[in-house]
Amino acid sequence: MKYLKFSLVIAAFSVFIAACSQPAANTATNPANTAKTVANTPPPIDELASAKKIYSEKCVNCHKADGLGGQIDIEGTKIKVTSYKSDKSMNHDDAKLIDYLVNGDDDMPAYGKKLSETEIKDLVKLIRRDFQGK
């Protein structure tokens, strides 16, 4: 009987050792848990989505989708549109870009009465982020 009890204790101890030597299942790196976390996480909100829409409606015809501008033809008149990626544009402070948007410049139309102050500031943020990497 003592031998049987001793064998059971040794067997239990062996099972305990084997179980403890296995790596713990890390729930943070478990792909199943990661998928659930990602699925439950709301998508990031693009704070400049409305500025993107305004850019696509009012700016893209001249400044292009990539912000490079270039030579364009409007009603038979050739216009050179400044690139947002040029040194000149990148060196302007936000106040100067806002002034261009509000009051226009050369062939650039004024948007001060067409867009709100917030929309204009968001356009400047969009230009800085998407075209100038700032």
Side-chain angles (χ1 to χ4, degrees), residues 54-55 57-64 67 69-70 72 74 77-84 88-89 92 94-115 119-120 123-124 127:
I54 293 168
Y55 186 86
E57 292 171 355
K58 302 192 181 305
C59 309
V60 77
N61 289 336
C62 296
H63 290 280
K64 308 295 183 223
I72 64 166
I74 296 180
T77 303
K78 300 258 186 219
I79 298 172
K80 184 174 183 204
V81 179
T82 303
S83 168
Y84 289 133
K88 179 182 174 184
S89 290
H92 287 315
D94 288 357
K96 185 64 175 172
L97 292 178
I98 289 170
D99 180 59
Y100 283 139
L101 289 167
V102 170
N103 300 311
D105 183 43
D106 298 326
D107 296 313
M108 165 101 175
Y111 288 99
K113 294 183 179 179
K114 298 175 184 175
L115 299 173
E119 289 172 324
I120 289 172
L123 274 171
V124 171
I127 291 165

